[in-house]
Amino acid sequence: MNQPPPGSRIKSTVALFLGQGIGLLLSVGVSALLAGRFGAGPGTDAFFLARRAITGLTEAMTRGVGAVYVPIFVKALHEMGAEDTRAALLRLALWLVGLSLPVVLLLAVGAPWLVELLGPGLRAENGDMAVTIFRVFTLLIPAALFLAVLTSLCYASRHFGPPAALRQLGRLFLVLTLLLLVPPFGLTELAWVFVVGTGIAGLLLLPQALR
C-alpha cells in the first residue's frame, strides 16, 4: 500500500489533536455546567460516578478495538478491496453490538451492588438515582463499540477528521442540554442525552466509513 504524503500525515495529526482538544474543552464545560446547575451533592456525585465508570470501560474497549482492527482493515483494504472490507465491517459491528448486549444486561442487573462498591454511601444518600443513571450509561457500551469499529475503518482508510470530531458529539449534546434545557431536564435525562448523542455519532459516521 502506498505511503501517504507528508502533508496528509500533518493534516491527520492536526485532526486528531483538534478532536482530543475539543473533547477536553467539552469535558471541562460539562463539569462546570453540572456544578453550576445542580451544585455539589449526592446527585452530581452519582452522575459522575456512573459516567466515569462506564466511559472508562468503553474507552478501554475502544482502544482495544482500534489496536486490533485498524491493522486488519488496512490489510483487508489492500487485499480484499473496499467493497468486501465494508461488508465485513458491517458484520463485525453488528456482531460486537450483539455480543455486548449480555454485558449490558449483566451490568444493569448488578448496578445496585456495583454502585455500592464504587461509591459507598451514594445509594443510602440518594436512593435509586445512582443505580438508574448507571443503568442508562450501560447503553453506552454497544453504541461505543459500534462507533469504535467505524472509526477503525476510517483510520485504516486515512480519514481522521470525521471520527475525531464525531466522538465528541455526546459531550456536545450534554453541554447544549445543560445550557438550554436544565431545568426542566434532570440528571437522569442528561445521562440519556449522552447515550443518544453517542449513538447518533455512530449513525453519522456510518456513511463516511462506507465511502
Side-chain angles (χ1 to χ4, degrees):
M1 182 175 286
N2 296 330
Q3 292 294 321
S8 176
R9 294 177 183 174
I10 293 172
K11 290 179 182 178
S12 300
T13 302
V14 170
L16 289 171
F17 273 108
L18 282 176
Q20 293 297 322
I22 291 170
L24 178 60
L25 290 174
L26 289 173
S27 292
V28 172
V30 167
S31 299
L33 287 168
L34 275 170
R37 292 292 192 268
F38 296 98
T44 50
D45 288 345
F47 185 90
F48 281 121
L49 170 72
R51 179 168 171 257
R52 286 170 182 166
I54 298 300
T55 55
L57 177 61
T58 57
E59 285 172 6
M61 290 179 172
T62 298
R63 286 193 293 269
V65 168
V68 171
Y69 288 107
V70 169
I72 291 175
F73 284 143
V74 169
K75 183 178 180 181
L77 285 167
H78 181 63
E79 296 180 353
M80 296 168 51
E83 185 173 347
D84 289 339
T85 301
R86 288 162 188 154
L89 160 81
L90 287 177
R91 290 194 298 269
L92 173 64
L94 293 174
W95 180 78
L96 284 176
V97 168
L99 195 64
S100 72
L101 295 180
V103 177
V104 171
L105 180 60
L106 183 63
L107 289 173
V109 171
W113 296 277
L114 290 170
V115 167
E116 188 173 352
L117 175 66
L118 297 173
L122 270 181
R123 185 161 165 73
E125 292 181 33
N126 216 38
D128 292 332
M129 179 180 288
V131 174
T132 300
I133 293 173
F134 189 93
R135 284 172 172 160
V136 172
F137 274 124
T138 60
L139 297 174
L140 276 175
I141 295 173
L145 283 173
F146 184 73
L147 185 60
V149 175
L150 299 180
T151 299
S152 296
L153 182 58
C154 288
Y155 285 175
S157 304
R158 301 173 187 163
H159 300 300
F160 296 92
L166 286 171
R167 284 182 61 189
Q168 313 308 329
L169 196 60
R171 293 187 179 98
L172 177 61
F173 275 26
L174 268 183
V175 168
L176 293 175
T177 302
L178 282 161
L179 287 172
L180 302 175
L181 294 173
V182 175
F185 276 23
L187 291 165
T188 302
E189 288 80 11
L190 288 175
W192 279 110
V193 166
F194 190 68
V195 171
V196 170
T198 304
I200 291 174
L203 294 177
L204 292 176
L205 189 58
L206 184 60
Q208 176 69 44
L210 296 178
R211 283 176 57 183

